[in-house]
């Protein structure tokens, strides 16, 4: 009797061990399956977001190309092309979606100092003074760029001795562009416009007119008895499209630098750089 009970206990333990192992394997299988399903779902959401973002990017490029035909002499954010593609954050069936457009020529292009001229150098010195920075820093930047050529961003100047303080002061009003171009008076920051005009009264008049009418023109300057400042214009050919999209648990933010050409009968719109800021971990720069 006792021997049978001992043997029964051993069998029971073996059965329980087998059941435990089987249960563990089943749980592992279920968890693995759930993980795989979740992974597939995330990838599906990411793929959807990529298509949404690329579609929005294509719409911006198409709008900028059409603008070269419809209104090549003026650019601002109240034009039909801009109003047609800019999208404030909105909830779609897939999730959050927005498209922001930044005119990169609303700032002074530091790369213009790579070709030293009296006008650009004098303006750069005046800007440094307005930012409470040593005017001679502008001369230093000019010498650097004249020696090494254009830079990709302001941060690159640190390696040549330009201080962090000077870079931070310049960043809101200065950029580094790969193309030539003037500061767009229709999108320029009020502070930078004041430095360019050297006349606060006229600068304020222009800002009020721009706010009321949406844009400026040579006629606007004539009407207030002002001269258009050097290195300024009314058009832009460099833009940043900032696209945000969400779907399910996935999130994607894509930033695309777009440049246009409208010269000697050549009209084109090209992607200079595309960056995925978050989401799509397997994606890289193009």
């Amino acid at each position: 009797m006792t021997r049978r009970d001992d043997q029964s206990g051993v069998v029971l333990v073996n059965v329980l061990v087998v059941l435990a192992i089987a249960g563990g394997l089943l749980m592992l299988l279920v968890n693995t399956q759930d993980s795989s399903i979740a992974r597939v779902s995330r990838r599906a959401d990411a793929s959807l977001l990529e298509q949404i973002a690329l579609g929005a990017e294509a719409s911006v490029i198409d709008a900028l190309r059409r603008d070269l035909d419809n209104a090549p002499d003026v650019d601002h954010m109240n034009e039909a092309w801009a109003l047609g593609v800019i999208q404030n954050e909105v909830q779609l069936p897939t999730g959050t979606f927005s498209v922001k457009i930044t005119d990169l020529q609303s700032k002074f292009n530091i790369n213009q100092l790579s070709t030293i001229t009296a006008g650009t150098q004098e303006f750069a010195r005046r800007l440094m003074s307005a930012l409470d920075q040593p005017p001679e820093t502008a001369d230093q930047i000019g010498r650097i760029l004249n020696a090494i050529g254009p830079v990709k961003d302001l941060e690159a100047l640190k390696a040549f001795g330009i201080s962090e303080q000077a870079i931070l002061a310049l960043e809101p009003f200065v950029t580094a562009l790969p193309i030539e171009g003037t500061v767009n008076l229709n999108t320029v920051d009020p502070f930078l416009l004041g430095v360019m005009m050297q006349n606060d009264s006229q600068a304020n008049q222009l800002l009020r007119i721009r706010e009321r009418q949406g844009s400026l023109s040579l006629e606007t300057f004539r009407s207030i008895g002002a001269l258009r400042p050097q290195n300024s214009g009314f058009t832009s050919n460099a833009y940043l499209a900032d696209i945000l999209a969400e779907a399910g648990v996935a999130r994607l933010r894509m930033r695309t630098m777009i440049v246009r050409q409208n010269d000697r009968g050549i009209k084109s719109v090209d992607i200079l750089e595309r960056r995925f800021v978050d989401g799509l971990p397997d994606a890289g720069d193009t």
Side-chain angles (χ1 to χ4, degrees), residues 35-109:
S35 178
S36 297
I37 292 173
R39 187 162 55 250
V40 170
S41 178
R42 284 196 299 272
R43 288 191 176 277
D45 288 341
S47 179
L48 173 62
L49 291 184
E50 184 177 16
Q51 295 306 311
I52 292 174
L54 291 175
E57 177 191 79
S59 296
V60 174
I61 292 172
D62 181 63
L64 285 169
R65 175 60 186 84
R66 282 186 281 106
D67 181 63
L68 289 179
D69 292 328
N70 299 333
D73 299 324
V74 62
D75 290 307
H76 53 85
M77 293 305 162
N78 293 304
E79 283 190 283
W81 76 264
L83 297 176
V85 295
I86 293 175
Q87 175 61 64
N88 294 327
E89 191 168 302
V90 65
Q91 288 293 326
L92 299 178
T94 54
T96 303
F97 175 72
S98 66
V99 179
K100 178 182 177 182
I101 305 295
T102 301
D103 179 356
L104 297 179
Q105 287 183 232
S106 64
K107 298 182 178 183
F108 173 66
N109 182 9

Side-chain angles (χ1 to χ4, degrees), residues 14 22 40 51 75 117 130 142 144 151 179 190 222 251 273:
N14 289 339
V40 170
Q51 295 306 311
D75 290 307
T117 66
I144 293 169
V151 292
I179 64 171
R222 295 191 189 101
R251 172 187 172 91
E273 182 184 59

